[in-house]
Structure formats: structure tokens, C-alpha cells
Amino acid sequence: MYKCIVCGYIYDPEQGDTVGGIEPGTKFSDLPDDYICPICGASKDEFLDYN
């Protein structure tokens, strides 16, 4: 899991991101470079590994 350092949103690869159109089972490393947090719009580089 990965946590947005701006708002605290947790990206769980098993759940994906239905708002962002990301299918369940998508690893964080496989997200597009322009992926943004569905809550606050922070960029992918503002997520930290939260395992």
C-alpha cells in the first residue's frame, strides 16, 4: 500500500482506484507517471510506501 503524504489517501493495489480508472490488482509501480491522488490531486511522487 502507498499513502499520499498530502491528504493521507491509501492506494491499495488489491483495490485499485475506481475513481482514477485503475483496475484492482495494479501495482503502484505500474501506475502511469501522471497518476494523481483521487482525493487531493497530488502527483504520484507524493506517495510513500505504507507497508
Side-chain angles (χ1 to χ4, degrees), residues 6 9 15 18-19 21 25-26 32 40 43 45 47:
V6 176
Y9 169 77
Q15 306 249 333
T18 56
V19 173
T26 304
C40 72
S43 63
D45 64 348
F47 281 75

Side-chain angles (χ1 to χ4, degrees), residues 12-44:
D12 182 348
E14 290 183 12
Q15 306 249 333
D17 173 8
T18 56
V19 173
I22 306 298
E23 294 290 322
T26 304
K27 295 187 285 186
F28 188 80
S29 60
D30 291 338
L31 293 174
D33 290 338
D34 62 352
Y35 176 75
I36 59 170
C37 176
I39 304 299
C40 72
S43 63
K44 184 178 174 182

